[in-house]
Amino acid sequence: MAESNERLTENQNMARNANRRLQDVAGRMAVDGNVIPFICECANGDCRGRVEMTIDDYFIAHLDSYLYVVIPNHPRLEGEATVEDRGQYEIVSKAAA
């Protein structure tokens, strides 16, 4: 049975919230410049993929609240589009609500 769009969005938000906590902890530990294994923010609730990037890159990728970081070719919601391909990960934009 296919997951509802609402559930898929919730999956993305849970990953993003976990990443924000990781960003906060890593920032307090002064690991600036080091690569951190952030969680893929795709729509798949079972995804255990990692997006390796610096804290600064993670911050920049989320300056717009409609942006998410995902591993290439991971599940997307209808209307999402890649706005930047960084090789190891992509920055994906949701349509503005």
Side-chain angles (χ1 to χ4, degrees):
M1 184 166 115
E3 290 184 84
S4 72
N5 199 44
E6 184 176 297
R7 177 65 185 155
L8 296 173
T9 299
E10 185 178 320
N11 293 340
Q12 289 178 310
N13 290 333
M14 287 189 320
R16 175 181 266 181
N17 289 336
N19 281 340
R20 285 181 176 154
R21 289 190 301 273
L22 177 59
Q23 179 188 26
D24 183 50
V25 169
R28 284 186 273 138
M29 295 176 69
V31 294
D32 292 339
N34 292 339
V35 173
I36 306 292
F38 289 95
I39 299 169
C40 177
E41 298 173 343
C42 73
N44 181 353
D46 294 325
C47 178
R48 300 295 177 254
R50 298 290 179 255
V51 177
E52 296 192 0
M53 57 196 317
T54 66
I55 293 172
D56 289 342
D57 286 341
Y58 183 82
F59 176 79
I60 291 167
H62 289 87
L63 286 174
D64 182 331
S65 65
Y66 295 106
L67 299 178
Y68 289 78
V69 292
V70 300
I71 294 172
N73 301 315
H74 273 221
R76 309 281 169 81
L77 297 175
E78 188 174 329
E80 290 182 337
T82 299
V83 295
E84 190 171 342
D85 183 343
R86 297 216 177 153
Q88 298 277 338
Y89 64 92
E90 296 175 350
I91 300 173
V92 175
S93 178
K94 292 180 166 289

